Amino acid sequence: MELLDQIREKARNLQKRIVLAEGTELRTLRATEILIREKLAKIILLGDPLIIKEIASREGITISGAEIIDPKTSPQREHYAQLMVEIRKSKGLTTQEALESLNNPLVFGPLMIKAGDADGEIAGAINSTGDVLRPALQYVKTLPGVSVVSGVFFMLFKDKTIGENGILVFSDCAVMPDPDERQLAEIAVTTAKTARSIANIEPRVAMLSFSTKGSAQHPLVSKVENATKIAQEMAPDLMIDGELQLDAALSEEVGRLKCPGSKVAGKANVLVFPGLEAANIGYKLVQRLAGAEAIGPILQGMAAPINDLSRGCSVSDIVNMVAITAIQAG
Ligand code: ACO
């Protein structure tokens, strides 16, 4: 079964409650119809019910079966405001400020999760990554033992000889502009777990650089070299190697030549880029020029799954991200 079919099948079995924070957005409503019809999750739309129903009826979209909650009138507002004040007391947040913030669905969604009223959230079809992530980071926070939230793409290729049966996992393509060596190590270990949990991939993690095993000397190379050592200490059983250039990571011939004996070089299926610039540009190059399908960004390291859509997302991107979010919640 193809990866996306497997993901949808797993989500269907879990029946998680997923919040779609941009409830008045047309692609989101079209995705809701599919999600309900295919029984992939229990959908909660945020927004004014009158407006949501009016758009759905005008566009001929069936959304009966989705719960609609208006963040401006929800009876849970007081409870969520209390939670917010408790979480942000060191920052001096007042109840009045919390209540005002809750008018914003991007704040209300994470609070639903925090309060146990939902299992995951998706937004970003009409909001920036920063606006989706900030309240998620502030209220849902990271998993115990994790300090860094980061974003992964599953790159799917028609050519099944690439990566793991046509799948490569790229990270961090979405969140940390300039991770330090410890953060980079954490991103690598977390990405390996995501590769396993979403796609059942046994990860072989390449820590990418413009140098292979000391072929160049530069502080940027040392950062990746040190991050590799830290990641190896954090997860001694993980197959991880670095620093590697991309060809040494992916080409068996180059890998054998430059890093004989490496369990990763030449056969990597998880690529950890040294920073957000390289990763974000890298995944888009592969998507646009190699025609790979890019599934993500899937955010990892958060205490509960909240995922950010691209503003250019399609209806099926939203459906897939809901299914992935459900699996992360499971
Ligand atoms: N992991 C965990 N916590 C974090 C992280 C992180 N990666 N980044 C920030 N935080 C925490 C901060 O510590 C802070 O917590 P606090 O308020 O309790 O002290 C809170 O989140 C908010 O952080 P700020 O510093 O106030 O917010 P900032 O403006 O730095 O926002 C953000 C963080 C939004 C993630 C920022 O780093 C960002 O914009 N990153 C780039 C996102 C982006 O544009 N990606 C490319 C597009 S996505 C794509 O193309 C697929």
Side-chain angles (χ1 to χ4, degrees):
M1 207 192 289
E2 291 291 323
L3 179 63
L4 286 173
D5 296 326
Q6 285 174 32
I7 286 171
R8 288 186 184 206
E9 186 66 29
K10 273 195 211 172
R12 196 171 287 116
N13 291 331
L14 290 164
Q15 287 301 302
K16 292 292 174 185
R17 300 161 300 170
I18 307 298
V19 179
L20 303 185
E22 295 155 332
T24 53
E25 199 276 323
L26 195 53
R27 288 163 295 173
T28 301
L29 291 178
R30 292 198 196 287
T32 299
E33 181 175 42
I34 297 169
L35 288 158
I36 292 169
R37 192 175 59 227
E38 295 196 12
K39 297 190 173 62
L40 296 181
K42 293 179 180 146
I43 299 300
I44 303 165
L45 293 167
L46 297 186
D48 182 331
L50 287 178
I51 298 177
I52 292 176
K53 284 178 187 160
E54 199 272 319
I55 297 171
S57 124
R58 191 180 65 217
E59 299 290 333
I61 304 169
T62 307
I63 53 161
S64 49
E67 186 180 354
I68 303 177
I69 295 177
D70 188 347
K72 293 187 176 153
T73 57
S74 159
Q76 293 290 69
R77 285 171 58 81
E78 292 291 337
H79 173 44
Y80 293 171
Q82 270 172 23
L83 274 175
M84 290 169 75
V85 169
E86 179 63 26
I87 294 166
R88 305 285 295 169
K89 62 180 172 229
S90 66
K91 308 272 174 183
L93 184 79
T94 66
T95 306
Q96 191 50 39
E97 286 166 342
L99 285 166
E100 270 165 35
S101 298
L102 281 168
N103 291 336
N104 179 355
L106 299 178
V107 175
F108 195 90
L111 263 296
M112 286 190 73
I113 296 172
K114 192 72 197 168
D117 296 333
D119 302 307
E121 184 209 21
I122 305 258
I126 45 171
N127 285 288
S128 72
T129 300
D131 288 346
V132 174
L133 280 188
R134 218 165 281 110
L137 294 170
Q138 287 171 340
Y139 294 107
V140 173
K141 297 195 180 280
T142 51
L143 282 166
V146 175
S147 68
V148 179
V149 168
S150 52
V152 165
F153 273 90
F154 283 78
M155 306 299 295
L156 311 186
F157 300 85
K158 289 202 176 75
D159 180 349
K160 302 296 178 204
T161 63
I162 295 173
E164 191 72 27
N165 196 23
I167 303 171
L168 281 174
V169 186
F170 285 16
S171 177
D172 161 28
C173 308
V175 187
M176 289 290 291
D178 186 17
D180 64 25
E181 53 197 41
R182 180 153 287 281
Q183 290 169 327
L184 195 56
E186 219 185 85
I187 289 168
V189 173
T190 315
T191 305
K193 286 186 189 156
T194 301
R196 255 197 211 108
S197 67
I198 304 279
N200 297 324
I201 287 175
E202 190 48 42
R204 292 185 298 278
V205 183
M207 303 293 281
L208 297 181
S209 174
F210 57 85
S211 161
T212 300
K213 302 284 183 181
S215 64
Q217 261 108 54
H218 189 276
L220 289 173
V221 174
S222 309
K223 175 174 112 169
V224 178
E225 205 185 344
N226 293 337
T228 307
K229 286 189 193 129
I230 298 168
Q232 284 163 341
E233 281 161 22
M234 288 168 81
D237 296 335
L238 186 62
M239 286 186 275
I240 178 162
D241 204 358
E243 83 293 352
L244 297 175
Q245 284 161 286
L246 185 85
D247 54 352
L250 292 183
S251 154
E252 286 211 36
E253 202 184 329
V254 180
R256 237 189 337 263
L257 188 74
K258 291 190 176 178
C259 319
S262 168
K263 288 186 178 152
V264 173
K267 35 192 174 295
N269 50 26
V270 174
L271 303 182
V272 177
F273 290 77
L276 182 55
E277 272 182 310
N280 192 270
I281 295 166
Y283 101 78
K284 285 179 197 276
L285 275 174
V286 173
Q287 180 186 35
R288 298 284 162 182
L289 300 183
E293 189 175 355
I295 309 293
I298 300 166
L299 297 181
Q300 53 180 12
M302 201 109 60
I306 294 184
N307 279 310
D308 174 42
L309 297 162
S310 153
R311 273 176 281 185
C313 67
S314 65
V315 171
S316 77
D317 290 337
I318 301 177
V319 172
N320 290 335
M321 284 308 288
V322 168
I324 287 168
T325 307
I327 294 175
Q328 288 178 298

